[in-house]
Amino acid sequence: MSKKVKTLFDKIYDKHVVESRDASPDVFYIDRHFIHEVTSPQAFDGLRKKGLTVARPKQTIATADHNVPTLNQHLPIKEMLSRIQVETLTQNCKEFGIDLYGLGHENQGIVHVIGPELGITQPGMTIVCGDSHTSTHGAFGSIAFGIGTSEVEQVLATQCVLQSKPKTMKIEINGALSEGVLSKDIILYIISKISAAGATGYFVEYCGTAISSLSMEARMTICNMSIEMGARGGLIAPDEITFEYLKGRSFAPKGEDWDKKMAYWSTLFSDPGASFDKVINFDAADIEPMITYGTNPGMGIGISHAIPTDDGTGEIDKAMSYMNLSSGENLEGQQIDYVFIGSCTNSRIEDLRLVADFVKDKRKADNVEVWIVPGSKKVEAQAIEEGLDQIFLKAGFELRQPGCSACLAMNEDKVPAGKYCVSTSNRNFEGRQGPGSRTFLASPLTAAAAAVTGKITDVRKLLKNTTYAV
Amino acid sequence: MPFDKFIDTAVPLPATNVDTDQIIPARFLKATTREGFGKNLFRDWRYDNEGNEKSDFVLNQSIFSGSILVTGKNFGCGSSREHAAWALSDYGFKVVISTFFADIFKNNALNNGILPIVADAVTMSKIFKAIEIDPTTKIEIDLPNERWSFDRETYSFEINAFKKECLIKGYNNMDYLVSKKGPIEKFEQEHIYC
C-alpha cells in the first residue's frame, strides 16, 4: 500500500480543509486566533453591524501590545487614541466572551511571544492573527499567518478563512554556525540572498542541521521574519526540542491528552521524497553577523562587507539618500544613537540572557540610549528573577515593560528623525521606528556590541574565547 | 460596491517594494473605525514634518490624477494592516497595477473592492512611459473579461473566479463563510484541536 508522499505543510493544510471546490478558495479551519487592539476594533464593529456573534470564543486569545506604553503601565495610558483603542479591546472581549491578557495581567505581552510561552501554540495547528508576524508560530510546526481585519472578522464569526493553497518552498541550511552568529543572522542572510520579495506566494519550510540544532526561541526568530521575504509563512518540523519546550506550559496538553497529541505531532514532518515548488540550499559556514544598510529587510550584508552599489533600479540610491550613507562604504564604525532590543523577533528570555551575558561588567557608550523591552510580563519577571535587570542597570541599559514598542513606534518609544538605531526588530522601512528614523537591523549580540561601543561593531572582535549559544 | 467596467487616467508611482508603513504609517492606525484613512495615505512621502505638501511627490502633482495607481514590484509588502487598503480606497483608488503584490495586501485589497492587476515588466515600462509622455493617457479596466488596455493595446490579467464574482457583484467572503456553518460544525466534531 503506497501512501501519497506529502510535505509537512501539505499534511497540516489538508487536515484543516473543511470544504474544497474547484471554482472557490478552500474553506480553511483555524485552530487558534490571536487578536490585539490595533487590527480588531473594526472586526468587532462589523460583527455588531451584521448581527453576528463570535463562533468559538475559547479559540481566540486577546492581548494589548502594539499601542501600550513601556513605562508606568500601572497608570492610565496618557495618549488618548491609544487609550481608547486598548479600552475598546477590553470592552469587545467582555461583550463577546474572549479571554484577554490586558495591561497588568501576568500573561500580557507581545502576541507572538505569549502564544508560545503559554503553550497555546502547538504543532500541527492553524493559527492566524491580524499581524504579519504571526509566521513566528510556525517554529512549532504549525501553519501560522497574518490576516487583514476583514478576515479577523470572518474568523471571529466562523472560525474559518477562505484560502487558496500557496506554493511550497524548502530552505535547507546545513553546517555549524560560526562564533557570534545567531539565528537572526541566519534569517537576515537568507532574506539578503533571496530579496524582500523572494518568497512571495510561497509557504516556506526551514530545515537542515543548522535549523534543527536551534532552540525554540531561535527558531521563532527565523519563522518570524518569513514575511520579510514575502512568504505567507514559515514552519519548522517539530522534534524533541519542540516537545521539551511545550511540556508543562499552562495550555499545553496534559496526561492522556498529551499522548493523543504526541501521536499526531510525531507524524508532522515532510515525507522523504516530498516535492516542493522551490528548493534553496545554504551553508551555515558562509554566514557572518549581519547588518542591514537600507530600507527593506532584504538590504542586508555581512558585517565585513561594503554596501553594494545600485543595480540600476534606483532602489539602493533611494535608500542611501534616506539613510544618509553611501554605496561602497563599510558600516563597521558607523556612529549610532539608539539601540533597541525587543519586538516579536528578539525579546524572549534567551535574547535577554544573551545580551546580559555579553554586557556583564561592561557599560554602554555615552552617545547611545539603550532600550530593552521584554516580550512579555513573564519574560520581564524571569529576567528580574535571574538578576538580569541588575546587569542592565549597571550597564546603563533601560529595562522597560512589555510591548511592541520601538519596533513600530505606535507608542511613545520613537527614534527621532535623522537618528540611527541598531534594532533587533524585523523592519527597517522608512519611518518605521518614528518619522525620519534610520534603522539597522541586527542580532541581539550585534545590538549589544553597538550599545557598548556606540558604533556598528563586528561582535566577533569582542568575543574572545567566549562561546554563545544560538 | 459593485465593480463595473470603466475608463480612467492613472497615477504613476514607480518605486519598488512600497511597504504598508509608507502607504499608511503606524501612528495613524489608532482609529477604531474604517473611515478617513485617505488623508494620511503615503503621509510621509506626501507631507513634510510641518504638514506642507512635498511638491516632488506624485499625489501632489495636479497633472496626475485618476483612480488607477501604477506602481513598482512587490507593492504592499510588510504589515498585514488592512488600513493600507482602506487608505487607498478612501483616497479614491479602485485599481493598482504592478508586476506583483505582497500576498496579504492583495487579499486585503480584494476584500475592499480594490482590483490588483499583475502585469509583466515590459508592459509596466510601457505604461509608465505612456503616462510620462501624456498624463491624460486613458486606461480601460474590463474586469468581466479580465482585460485592461491603453494606447490601443489590450492586455489580459488573471483573477480567481470566486474573487472576481465577489468584486463584480459587491459580495464579501463573510456571506459565503456564514453559509458554510453546517460543514464547519461537522468538521469540528472530528477535529483534533476542537
Side-chain angles (χ1 to χ4, degrees), chain B residues 15-62:
Chain B
T16 55
N17 295 315
V18 175
D19 60 74
T20 50
D21 277 85
Q22 307 318 313
I23 301 172
I24 183 87
R27 62 187 188 280
F28 300 113
L29 307 186
K30 299 184 189 218
T32 52
T33 62
R34 288 172 180 242
E35 289 78 36
F37 287 98
K39 64 177 185 290
N40 292 315
L41 175 69
F42 296 117
R43 175 77 199 199
D44 295 336
W45 286 355
R46 210 164 134 197
Y47 301 101
D48 66 18
N49 292 343
E50 279 76 49
N52 304 308
E53 285 187 359
K54 293 183 182 178
S55 59
D56 61 347
F57 187 62
V58 69
L59 292 190
N60 298 325
Q61 296 167 346
S62 55

Side-chain angles (χ1 to χ4, degrees), chain A residues 341-404:
Chain A
I341 294 168
S343 86
C344 56
T345 316
N346 284 116
S347 64
R348 297 180 177 81
I349 189 65
E350 192 180 273
D351 300 312
L352 268 53
R353 283 181 190 141
L354 207 67
V355 171
D357 196 21
F358 178 80
V359 301
K360 206 171 195 169
D361 306 319
K362 295 189 182 78
R363 210 183 140 71
K364 75 168 186 76
D366 289 339
N367 59 307
V368 182
E369 200 167 314
V370 186
W371 301 330
I372 300 196
V373 181
S376 69
K377 290 303 280 182
K378 284 195 186 305
V379 171
E380 181 190 33
Q382 183 72 26
I384 292 169
E385 194 186 309
E386 294 178 19
L388 308 186
D389 57 329
Q390 293 307 310
I391 297 175
F392 295 143
L393 189 69
K394 272 191 210 151
F397 290 18
E398 197 177 339
L399 180 64
R400 295 195 165 200
Q401 291 169 304
C404 298

Side-chain angles (χ1 to χ4, degrees), chain B residues 101-168:
Chain B
F101 296 91
D103 286 333
I104 308 178
F105 172 79
K106 193 171 167 184
N107 262 338
N108 288 340
L110 287 163
N111 284 334
N112 286 279
I114 298 172
L115 172 65
I117 291 181
V118 174
D120 62 55
V122 176
T123 309
M124 288 309 292
S125 46
K126 276 193 201 165
I127 181 75
F128 278 126
K129 190 92 192 164
I131 301 169
E132 190 189 322
I133 293 168
D134 178 9
T136 67
T137 299
K138 294 269 194 275
I139 301 178
E140 181 175 11
I141 306 290
D142 179 0
L143 174 58
N145 292 306
E146 302 181 17
R147 285 199 301 246
W148 64 291
S149 45
F150 66 96
D151 283 358
R152 286 183 294 279
E153 282 199 65
T154 299
Y155 307 86
S156 60
F157 62 88
E158 283 177 20
I159 180 168
N160 174 287
F162 175 85
K163 296 280 184 190
K164 178 169 142 181
E165 199 187 331
C166 284
L167 273 183
I168 291 174

